[in-house]
Amino acid sequence: MAGSLREVRDWQQGRGALQVVNRNPMPPERLRAIRKRLAKSARDFEQKFGIPAATLNNWEQGRRAPDPAARLLLEVMEREPEAVERAAAATAA
């Protein structure tokens, strides 16, 4: 039996604790870098992409974290910002 399966079996039988690692895939520094690359300010980012500046500021300050859908959108913005800009412009029109 592989080590990880043995670990789960032991945990299920109350013989140990599972090691948990919490990883933030979208830390504030990364959010800030995305925003700075795509807009001069949080207000400019809001006008370009429709994400409220207050929400973005909360993410950048670490007070809140983007939900999975927002993280996915931010990752697409990071890789293909033009695609998101086109979609946002078409939605606004």
Side-chain angles (χ1 to χ4, degrees):
M1 182 180 298
S4 56
L5 290 176
R6 197 172 303 115
E7 186 180 0
V8 170
R9 185 196 63 210
D10 289 347
W11 171 78
Q12 285 177 328
Q13 295 173 354
R15 293 193 303 243
L18 293 177
Q19 180 181 0
V20 176
V21 177
N22 289 321
R23 184 177 80 84
N24 182 354
M26 193 62 68
E29 301 80 26
R30 185 173 171 197
L31 289 159
R32 196 172 299 110
I34 293 168
R35 195 247 321 139
K36 284 183 176 182
R37 197 173 113 235
L38 301 176
K40 292 179 182 179
S41 68
R43 288 273 175 228
D44 289 340
F45 195 89
E46 178 178 5
Q47 289 176 347
K48 234 179 182 179
F49 300 110
I51 295 174
T55 299
L56 189 61
N57 287 329
N58 281 329
W59 293 344
E60 287 185 9
Q61 297 300 316
R63 290 187 293 264
R64 313 268 291 164
D67 64 23
R71 279 197 313 264
L72 177 60
L73 177 60
L74 289 160
E75 287 183 16
V76 173
M77 286 177 175
E78 193 173 37
R79 293 182 183 139
E80 299 287 336
E82 298 83 14
V84 180
E85 285 183 60
R86 283 191 310 272
T91 302

XYZ file of all heavy atoms in Angstrom:
732
model
N 0.854 -1.172 0.000
C 0.000 0.000 0.000
C 0.904 1.241 0.000
O 1.860 1.321 0.750
C -0.904 -0.032 1.236
C -1.865 1.120 1.301
S -2.939 1.110 2.766
C -3.847 -0.394 2.581
N 0.575 2.184 -0.826
C 1.356 3.412 -0.919
C 1.270 4.189 0.394
O 0.306 4.077 1.138
C 0.841 4.276 -2.070
N 2.291 5.008 0.633
C 2.374 5.756 1.880
C 1.175 6.641 2.151
O 0.670 6.697 3.272
N 0.704 7.333 1.106
C -0.424 8.239 1.327
C -1.704 7.459 1.640
O -2.511 7.893 2.467
C -0.633 9.138 0.112
O -0.809 8.371 -1.047
N -1.891 6.314 1.023
C -3.065 5.496 1.338
C -2.976 4.954 2.765
O -3.989 4.900 3.477
C -3.199 4.342 0.346
C -3.606 4.731 -1.068
C -3.613 3.505 -1.981
C -4.964 5.398 -1.070
N -1.802 4.595 3.171
C -1.587 4.117 4.542
C -1.905 5.243 5.531
O -2.539 5.024 6.565
C -0.141 3.651 4.714
C 0.083 2.782 5.921
C 1.489 2.167 5.955
N 1.763 1.376 4.753
C 2.697 1.690 3.838
N 3.453 2.751 3.976
N 2.887 0.933 2.774
N -1.487 6.457 5.190
C -1.746 7.613 6.038
C -3.255 7.853 6.178
O -3.752 8.106 7.283
C -1.061 8.843 5.441
C -1.132 10.077 6.291
C -0.425 11.269 5.637
O 0.115 11.138 4.526
O -0.437 12.333 6.258
N -3.989 7.757 5.085
C -5.440 7.938 5.121
C -6.089 6.824 5.935
O -6.972 7.095 6.771
C -6.038 7.997 3.692
C -7.555 7.942 3.725
C -5.564 9.250 2.971
N -5.669 5.602 5.722
C -6.232 4.477 6.489
C -6.004 4.679 7.980
O -6.912 4.515 8.791
C -5.615 3.155 6.038
C -6.265 1.946 6.741
C -5.462 0.688 6.614
N -4.182 0.931 7.290
C -3.038 0.365 6.952
N -2.991 -0.467 5.942
N -1.933 0.624 7.608
N -4.779 5.074 8.350
C -4.477 5.316 9.760
C -5.349 6.435 10.318
O -5.856 6.351 11.432
C -2.990 5.668 9.939
C -2.081 4.469 9.706
O -2.582 3.320 9.648
O -0.861 4.689 9.575
N -5.549 7.496 9.532
C -6.388 8.609 9.973
C -7.827 8.137 10.175
O -8.464 8.470 11.165
C -6.322 9.742 8.936
C -7.307 10.833 9.206
C -7.207 11.821 10.134
C -8.554 11.016 8.555
N -8.316 12.622 10.098
C -9.172 12.159 9.125
C -9.226 10.352 7.529
C -10.406 12.627 8.711
C -10.455 10.823 7.114
C -11.037 11.948 7.713
N -8.339 7.344 9.224
C -9.709 6.850 9.336
C -9.891 5.987 10.581
O -10.947 5.969 11.183
C -10.089 6.039 8.094
C -10.367 6.877 6.883
C -10.677 6.026 5.655
O -10.161 4.921 5.498
N -11.512 6.579 4.787
N -8.846 5.301 10.964
C -8.917 4.426 12.132
C -8.498 5.138 13.416
O -8.346 4.512 14.456
C -8.060 3.183 11.889
C -8.604 2.341 10.749
C -7.699 1.183 10.350
O -6.581 1.056 10.846
N -8.179 0.345 9.449
N -8.299 6.460 13.320
C -7.995 7.247 14.504
C -6.569 7.104 15.008
O -6.283 7.399 16.170
N -5.658 6.668 14.135
C -4.268 6.443 14.577
C -3.325 7.558 14.140
O -2.122 7.364 14.163
C -3.769 5.105 14.035
C -4.485 3.917 14.627
C -3.757 2.643 14.310
N -3.585 2.464 12.880
C -4.097 1.484 12.164
N -4.818 0.565 12.750
N -3.892 1.407 10.873
N -3.839 8.676 13.771
C -2.951 9.759 13.363
C -3.735 10.919 12.770
O -4.942 10.840 12.577
N -3.004 11.976 12.530
C -3.618 13.167 11.938
C -3.057 13.370 10.543
O -1.893 13.071 10.285
C -3.328 14.388 12.806
N -3.904 13.851 9.665
C -3.442 14.168 8.320
C -2.765 15.536 8.335
O -3.225 16.466 9.000
C -4.616 14.194 7.337
C -5.304 12.870 7.069
C -6.496 13.082 6.134
C -4.345 11.876 6.451
N -1.695 15.649 7.610
C -1.022 16.931 7.478
C -1.811 17.766 6.469
O -2.113 17.312 5.370
C 0.403 16.751 6.984
C 1.143 18.051 6.838
C 2.563 17.858 6.328
O 2.991 16.745 6.090
N 3.268 18.934 6.155
N -2.144 18.968 6.865
C -2.910 19.862 6.010
C -2.041 21.062 5.673
O -1.428 21.661 6.549
C -4.198 20.334 6.710
C -4.939 21.335 5.853
C -5.074 19.157 7.047
N -1.993 21.387 4.393
C -1.258 22.558 3.945
C -2.247 23.483 3.257
O -2.870 23.102 2.266
C -0.119 22.165 2.965
C 0.582 23.399 2.444
C 0.853 21.218 3.633
N -2.405 24.664 3.815
C -3.279 25.661 3.190
C -2.426 26.527 2.281
O -1.464 27.135 2.717
C -3.967 26.530 4.245
C -5.015 25.751 5.008
O -5.728 24.946 4.428
N -5.095 25.977 6.297
N -2.799 26.561 1.032
C -2.036 27.328 0.058
C -2.972 28.329 -0.587
O -4.050 27.973 -1.053
C -1.466 26.375 -0.997
C -0.573 27.043 -2.013
C -0.002 26.009 -2.962
N -0.922 25.631 -4.000
C -1.090 26.300 -5.138
N -0.405 27.384 -5.369
N -1.938 25.898 -6.046
N -2.545 29.566 -0.601
C -3.336 30.598 -1.255
C -2.807 30.738 -2.683
O -1.738 31.301 -2.886
C -3.228 31.930 -0.506
C -4.081 33.008 -1.127
O -4.675 32.815 -2.185
N -4.144 34.144 -0.488
N -3.559 30.241 -3.671
C -3.067 30.309 -5.047
C -3.075 31.717 -5.631
O -2.516 31.961 -6.688
C -4.028 29.400 -5.808
C -5.287 29.455 -5.013
C -4.858 29.621 -3.578
N -3.700 32.644 -4.932
C -3.776 34.005 -5.439
C -3.455 34.960 -4.282
O -4.331 35.659 -3.767
C -5.175 34.264 -5.999
C -5.327 35.502 -6.830
S -4.361 35.588 -8.343
C -5.107 34.331 -9.365
N -2.183 34.993 -3.852
C -1.822 35.878 -2.742
C -1.919 37.350 -3.149
O -1.902 37.682 -4.338
C -0.378 35.481 -2.428
C 0.141 34.891 -3.693
C -1.054 34.247 -4.364
N -2.040 38.244 -2.166
C -2.187 39.670 -2.462
C -1.102 40.218 -3.392
O -1.399 41.053 -4.256
C -2.122 40.325 -1.079
C -2.622 39.269 -0.145
C -2.129 37.980 -0.731
N 0.127 39.768 -3.241
C 1.215 40.273 -4.082
C 0.973 39.950 -5.558
O 1.260 40.758 -6.438
C 2.566 39.677 -3.659
C 2.938 39.969 -2.225
C 2.244 39.067 -1.203
O 1.858 37.920 -1.555
O 2.051 39.526 -0.066
N 0.451 38.768 -5.815
C 0.169 38.363 -7.197
C -0.982 39.196 -7.767
O -0.929 39.646 -8.913
C -0.168 36.876 -7.238
C -0.366 36.342 -8.637
C -0.528 34.846 -8.615
N -0.931 34.338 -9.910
C -1.454 33.141 -10.096
N -1.621 32.315 -9.069
N -1.812 32.745 -11.294
N -2.010 39.407 -6.942
C -3.139 40.232 -7.372
C -2.674 41.639 -7.717
O -3.062 42.205 -8.743
C -4.180 40.313 -6.260
C -4.967 39.038 -6.003
C -5.571 39.057 -4.624
C -6.033 38.885 -7.056
N -1.847 42.192 -6.855
C -1.337 43.552 -7.079
C -0.537 43.610 -8.374
O -0.666 44.559 -9.154
C -0.484 43.979 -5.890
C -0.225 45.459 -5.810
C 0.453 45.864 -4.506
N -0.365 45.531 -3.332
C -0.048 44.566 -2.448
N 1.056 43.878 -2.570
N -0.841 44.318 -1.436
N 0.285 42.603 -8.611
C 1.100 42.573 -9.833
C 0.213 42.501 -11.081
O 0.477 43.177 -12.079
C 2.061 41.391 -9.787
N -0.834 41.697 -11.027
C -1.767 41.602 -12.164
C -2.403 42.968 -12.406
O -2.443 43.463 -13.528
C -2.855 40.529 -11.905
C -2.231 39.130 -11.883
C -3.967 40.612 -12.954
C -3.167 38.047 -11.359
N -2.910 43.582 -11.333
C -3.565 44.875 -11.476
C -2.613 45.937 -12.015
O -2.944 46.666 -12.945
C -4.145 45.332 -10.139
C -5.125 46.465 -10.307
C -4.749 47.788 -9.755
N -4.076 47.770 -8.491
C -3.051 48.571 -8.214
N -2.587 49.413 -9.097
N -2.479 48.538 -7.028
N -1.403 45.992 -11.488
C -0.444 47.010 -11.938
C -0.056 46.818 -13.399
O 0.208 47.784 -14.102
C 0.801 46.992 -11.048
C 0.565 47.632 -9.709
C 1.839 47.659 -8.891
C 1.612 48.393 -7.595
N 2.842 48.489 -6.799
N -0.008 45.570 -13.836
C 0.341 45.303 -15.226
C -0.775 45.724 -16.180
O -0.521 46.130 -17.302
C 0.658 43.815 -15.402
C 1.413 43.544 -16.683
C 1.865 42.100 -16.772
N 1.097 41.510 -17.862
C 0.356 40.427 -17.761
N 0.298 39.769 -16.643
N -0.299 39.967 -18.789
N -2.018 45.644 -15.711
C -3.158 45.867 -16.594
C -3.832 47.227 -16.434
O -4.579 47.650 -17.318
C -4.201 44.764 -16.373
C -3.702 43.333 -16.620
C -4.793 42.339 -16.277
C -3.234 43.165 -18.048
N -3.580 47.923 -15.329
C -4.236 49.215 -15.098
C -3.404 50.054 -14.138
O -2.665 49.511 -13.326
C -5.634 48.995 -14.517
N -3.559 51.361 -14.257
C -2.789 52.271 -13.412
C -3.288 52.297 -11.976
O -2.532 52.539 -11.052
C -2.830 53.685 -13.987
C -2.093 53.816 -15.291
C -2.175 55.229 -15.831
C -1.451 55.282 -17.170
N -1.491 56.599 -17.764
N -4.583 52.059 -11.794
C -5.168 52.115 -10.454
C -6.305 51.095 -10.356
O -6.741 50.523 -11.364
C -5.711 53.512 -10.176
O -6.840 53.759 -11.003
N -6.797 50.931 -9.138
C -7.941 50.038 -8.931
C -9.171 50.578 -9.662
O -9.970 49.805 -10.206
C -8.218 49.882 -7.438
N -9.317 51.894 -9.728
C -10.448 52.496 -10.460
C -10.345 52.209 -11.959
O -11.343 51.898 -12.605
C -10.501 54.003 -10.225
C -10.938 54.381 -8.865
C -12.452 54.453 -8.807
N -12.835 54.698 -7.421
C -13.761 54.019 -6.790
N -14.412 53.060 -7.390
N -14.054 54.281 -5.545
N -9.143 52.340 -12.508
C -8.948 52.020 -13.930
C -9.253 50.549 -14.191
O -9.872 50.199 -15.197
C -7.505 52.314 -14.366
C -7.201 53.797 -14.429
O -8.149 54.604 -14.515
O -6.001 54.144 -14.395
N -8.838 49.686 -13.277
C -9.087 48.250 -13.396
C -10.597 47.994 -13.382
O -11.111 47.211 -14.175
C -8.397 47.516 -12.240
C -8.264 46.040 -12.432
C -7.154 45.510 -13.076
C -9.225 45.167 -11.954
C -7.017 44.143 -13.237
C -9.091 43.798 -12.118
C -7.983 43.284 -12.766
N -11.303 48.695 -12.496
C -12.760 48.555 -12.421
C -13.415 48.964 -13.739
O -14.296 48.268 -14.251
C -13.303 49.414 -11.283
C -14.810 49.374 -11.170
C -15.343 50.194 -10.011
O -14.565 50.889 -9.331
O -16.568 50.133 -9.787
N -12.984 50.078 -14.302
C -13.569 50.548 -15.557
C -13.265 49.588 -16.702
O -14.099 49.386 -17.584
C -13.055 51.941 -15.877
C -13.621 52.991 -14.957
C -13.040 54.371 -15.210
O -12.053 54.527 -15.904
N -13.675 55.384 -14.631
N -12.088 49.002 -16.688
C -11.685 48.097 -17.764
C -12.360 46.738 -17.676
O -12.768 46.161 -18.690
C -10.171 47.879 -17.666
C -9.401 48.160 -18.897
C -7.914 47.919 -18.606
C -7.106 48.241 -19.822
N -5.680 48.055 -19.602
N -12.456 46.193 -16.445
C -12.883 44.801 -16.295
C -14.165 44.602 -15.492
O -14.672 43.494 -15.425
C -11.763 43.981 -15.645
C -10.498 43.968 -16.451
C -9.376 44.647 -16.014
C -10.423 43.284 -17.655
C -8.203 44.636 -16.748
C -9.253 43.274 -18.406
C -8.149 43.951 -17.946
N -14.663 45.662 -14.852
C -15.921 45.540 -14.123
C -15.806 44.966 -12.722
O -16.821 44.731 -12.075
N -14.616 44.742 -12.225
C -14.443 44.265 -10.847
C -14.353 45.508 -9.965
O -13.476 46.351 -10.172
C -13.176 43.387 -10.703
C -13.327 42.115 -11.529
C -12.923 43.055 -9.229
C -12.088 41.251 -11.576
N -15.254 45.652 -8.997
C -15.258 46.861 -8.177
C -13.896 47.145 -7.532
O -13.234 46.232 -7.035
C -16.330 46.578 -7.113
C -17.226 45.567 -7.756
C -16.322 44.722 -8.614
N -13.522 48.426 -7.530
C -12.233 48.826 -6.949
C -12.154 48.436 -5.476
O -11.092 47.999 -5.007
C -12.041 50.330 -7.115
N -13.262 48.548 -4.740
C -13.256 48.182 -3.321
C -12.963 46.696 -3.146
O -12.207 46.304 -2.241
C -14.593 48.539 -2.678
N -13.525 45.876 -4.010
C -13.257 44.430 -3.959
C -11.784 44.161 -4.228
O -11.130 43.413 -3.494
C -14.130 43.689 -4.991
O -15.496 43.900 -4.668
C -13.833 42.204 -5.016
N -11.271 44.768 -5.271
C -9.868 44.593 -5.620
C -8.959 45.062 -4.484
O -7.986 44.384 -4.130
C -9.559 45.355 -6.907
C -8.191 45.103 -7.524
C -8.022 43.646 -7.912
C -7.991 46.002 -8.724
N -9.282 46.208 -3.876
C -8.482 46.706 -2.753
C -8.506 45.731 -1.581
O -7.477 45.495 -0.946
C -8.975 48.087 -2.305
C -8.601 49.171 -3.289
O -7.580 49.088 -3.964
N -9.435 50.192 -3.384
N -9.662 45.147 -1.297
C -9.744 44.153 -0.218
C -8.877 42.939 -0.524
O -8.226 42.393 0.367
C -11.195 43.732 0.024
C -11.961 44.740 0.826
O -11.406 45.443 1.672
N -13.259 44.838 0.573
N -8.867 42.497 -1.771
C -8.018 41.365 -2.159
C -6.546 41.725 -2.015
O -5.758 40.954 -1.484
C -8.292 40.952 -3.591
C -9.643 40.355 -3.856
C -10.537 39.858 -2.947
C -10.251 40.181 -5.138
N -11.657 39.397 -3.585
C -11.513 39.577 -4.939
C -9.863 40.489 -6.438
C -12.364 39.253 -5.987
C -10.719 40.174 -7.482
C -11.951 39.562 -7.253
N -6.183 42.914 -2.508
C -4.776 43.325 -2.474
C -4.272 43.548 -1.052
O -3.081 43.380 -0.790
C -4.561 44.597 -3.294
C -4.637 44.381 -4.778
C -4.294 45.637 -5.573
O -3.834 46.633 -4.990
O -4.496 45.607 -6.802
N -5.163 43.929 -0.135
C -4.772 44.149 1.255
C -4.842 42.864 2.077
O -4.474 42.862 3.245
C -5.667 45.216 1.893
C -5.556 46.583 1.246
C -4.147 47.139 1.315
O -3.498 47.059 2.337
N -3.669 47.675 0.200
N -5.323 41.780 1.469
C -5.413 40.504 2.172
C -6.588 40.406 3.129
O -6.668 39.469 3.917
N -7.514 41.362 3.074
C -8.692 41.317 3.941
C -9.687 40.278 3.466
O -10.440 39.720 4.261
C -9.346 42.700 4.009
C -8.542 43.732 4.779
C -9.322 45.033 4.958
N -9.533 45.729 3.697
C -8.768 46.717 3.245
N -7.728 47.117 3.947
N -9.044 47.304 2.096
N -9.724 40.042 2.165
C -10.609 39.049 1.553
C -9.799 38.309 0.500
O -8.738 38.781 0.085
C -11.810 39.710 0.888
C -12.528 40.762 1.694
C -13.649 40.313 2.524
N -14.797 39.883 1.735
C -15.749 39.167 2.277
N -15.688 38.821 3.515
N -16.770 38.786 1.569
N -10.329 37.206 0.060
C -9.669 36.436 -1.006
C -10.687 36.199 -2.113
O -11.879 36.011 -1.848
C -9.164 35.106 -0.470
N -10.218 36.217 -3.366
C -11.152 35.953 -4.465
C -11.694 34.530 -4.398
O -10.971 33.603 -4.021
C -10.301 36.158 -5.724
C -8.917 36.425 -5.285
C -8.873 36.477 -3.803
N -12.962 34.369 -4.748
C -13.542 33.025 -4.795
C -12.982 32.292 -6.021
O -12.275 32.890 -6.842
C -15.069 33.099 -4.804
C -15.649 33.775 -6.029
O -14.990 33.818 -7.084
O -16.786 34.274 -5.942
N -13.256 30.997 -6.156
C -12.678 30.236 -7.272
C -12.976 30.819 -8.653
O -12.103 30.836 -9.517
C -13.289 28.836 -7.106
C -13.534 28.726 -5.628
C -13.956 30.110 -5.204
N -14.178 31.335 -8.879
C -14.507 31.905 -10.194
C -13.688 33.171 -10.451
O -13.173 33.374 -11.552
C -16.000 32.204 -10.287
N -13.548 34.007 -9.434
C -12.752 35.229 -9.588
C -11.275 34.889 -9.798
O -10.596 35.539 -10.593
C -12.925 36.126 -8.369
N -10.779 33.876 -9.075
C -9.378 33.447 -9.274
C -9.151 32.992 -10.704
O -8.136 33.337 -11.322
C -9.013 32.326 -8.301
C -8.653 32.818 -6.932
C -7.922 31.781 -6.121
N -8.523 30.462 -6.141
C -9.354 30.002 -5.216
N -9.712 30.755 -4.203
N -9.840 28.797 -5.299
N -10.104 32.248 -11.251
C -9.973 31.793 -12.632
C -9.951 32.984 -13.587
O -9.111 33.047 -14.494
C -11.112 30.839 -12.992
C -11.134 30.331 -14.433
C -9.852 29.577 -14.756
C -12.342 29.452 -14.657
N -10.849 33.929 -13.378
C -10.876 35.125 -14.219
C -9.544 35.872 -14.119
O -8.988 36.307 -15.127
C -12.033 36.040 -13.823
C -12.139 37.357 -14.584
C -12.329 37.108 -16.080
C -13.260 38.188 -14.025
N -9.014 36.019 -12.922
C -7.737 36.711 -12.731
C -6.590 35.973 -13.419
O -5.691 36.588 -13.988
C -7.454 36.895 -11.244
C -8.351 37.928 -10.559
C -8.362 37.718 -9.055
C -7.914 39.332 -10.912
N -6.627 34.653 -13.385
C -5.595 33.872 -14.076
C -5.682 34.074 -15.589
O -4.661 34.179 -16.265
C -5.693 32.400 -13.703
C -5.211 32.147 -12.289
C -5.228 30.684 -11.899
O -5.319 29.813 -12.791
O -5.146 30.409 -10.688
N -6.916 34.122 -16.113
C -7.079 34.392 -17.547
C -6.574 35.806 -17.850
O -5.885 36.017 -18.849
C -8.550 34.216 -17.987
C -8.738 34.656 -19.428
C -8.984 32.765 -17.818
N -6.902 36.763 -16.992
C -6.399 38.138 -17.176
C -4.873 38.165 -17.193
O -4.281 38.913 -17.967
C -6.892 39.038 -16.040
C -8.307 39.414 -16.106
S -8.672 40.388 -14.629
C -10.338 40.853 -14.995
N -4.281 37.380 -16.342
C -2.823 37.335 -16.248
C -2.205 36.807 -17.540
O -1.180 37.297 -17.991
C -2.439 36.439 -15.060
C -1.015 36.506 -14.629
C -0.783 35.723 -13.349
O -1.403 34.644 -13.155
O 0.013 36.179 -12.536
N -2.870 35.822 -18.150
C -2.323 35.175 -19.349
C -2.808 35.802 -20.649
O -2.066 35.900 -21.625
C -2.692 33.698 -19.336
C -2.021 32.954 -18.222
C -2.364 31.493 -18.262
N -1.743 30.846 -17.111
C -2.324 29.921 -16.384
N -3.531 29.516 -16.677
N -1.692 29.395 -15.366
N -4.083 36.164 -20.694
C -4.717 36.666 -21.925
C -5.553 37.906 -21.632
O -6.777 37.890 -21.786
C -5.608 35.575 -22.528
C -4.890 34.310 -22.933
C -4.047 34.485 -24.175
O -4.336 35.394 -24.971
O -3.108 33.702 -24.346
N -4.938 38.983 -21.186
C -5.736 40.156 -20.802
C -6.583 40.724 -21.932
O -7.683 41.221 -21.696
C -4.694 41.166 -20.320
C -3.403 40.712 -20.908
C -3.510 39.224 -21.059
N -6.103 40.619 -23.165
C -6.867 41.163 -24.298
C -8.199 40.454 -24.465
O -9.204 41.078 -24.803
C -6.057 41.062 -25.600
C -4.759 41.844 -25.594
C -3.601 41.083 -24.930
O -3.704 39.860 -24.692
O -2.602 41.739 -24.632
N -8.216 39.156 -24.223
C -9.461 38.389 -24.352
C -10.492 38.874 -23.332
O -11.667 39.047 -23.658
C -9.186 36.898 -24.168
N -10.043 39.123 -22.107
C -10.964 39.591 -21.070
C -11.414 41.018 -21.374
O -12.587 41.353 -21.192
C -10.319 39.491 -19.675
C -11.268 39.985 -18.596
C -9.913 38.036 -19.383
N -10.504 41.846 -21.864
C -10.876 43.213 -22.232
C -11.941 43.209 -23.328
O -12.911 43.973 -23.260
C -9.658 43.992 -22.704
C -8.744 44.422 -21.577
C -7.587 45.264 -22.068
O -7.849 46.342 -22.656
O -6.445 44.860 -21.875
N -11.771 42.346 -24.344
C -12.762 42.267 -25.420
C -14.120 41.827 -24.869
O -15.151 42.392 -25.218
C -12.282 41.306 -26.514
C -11.232 41.854 -27.426
C -11.004 40.973 -28.635
N -10.782 39.558 -28.327
C -9.588 39.012 -28.060
N -8.501 39.760 -28.064
N -9.486 37.729 -27.818
N -14.108 40.823 -24.017
C -15.359 40.318 -23.450
C -16.031 41.372 -22.576
O -17.243 41.562 -22.657
C -15.090 39.043 -22.643
N -15.244 42.067 -21.769
C -15.796 43.113 -20.894
C -16.370 44.259 -21.735
O -17.450 44.778 -21.425
C -14.729 43.622 -19.933
N -15.686 44.634 -22.790
C -16.164 45.723 -23.664
C -17.460 45.315 -24.357
O -18.386 46.112 -24.490
C -15.091 46.093 -24.673
N -17.531 44.067 -24.811
C -18.726 43.592 -25.494
C -19.908 43.539 -24.531
O -21.039 43.857 -24.910
C -18.483 42.213 -26.092
N -19.663 43.189 -23.278
C -20.724 43.129 -22.281
C -21.229 44.518 -21.938
O -22.417 44.728 -21.742
C -20.218 42.422 -21.014
O -19.781 41.115 -21.373
C -21.300 42.305 -19.960
N -20.289 45.481 -21.874
C -20.654 46.867 -21.531
C -21.421 47.557 -22.642
O -22.182 48.483 -22.394
C -19.399 47.661 -21.179
N -21.230 47.109 -23.878
C -21.851 47.771 -25.033
C -23.333 47.457 -25.159
O -23.919 46.670 -24.602
C -21.163 47.349 -26.313
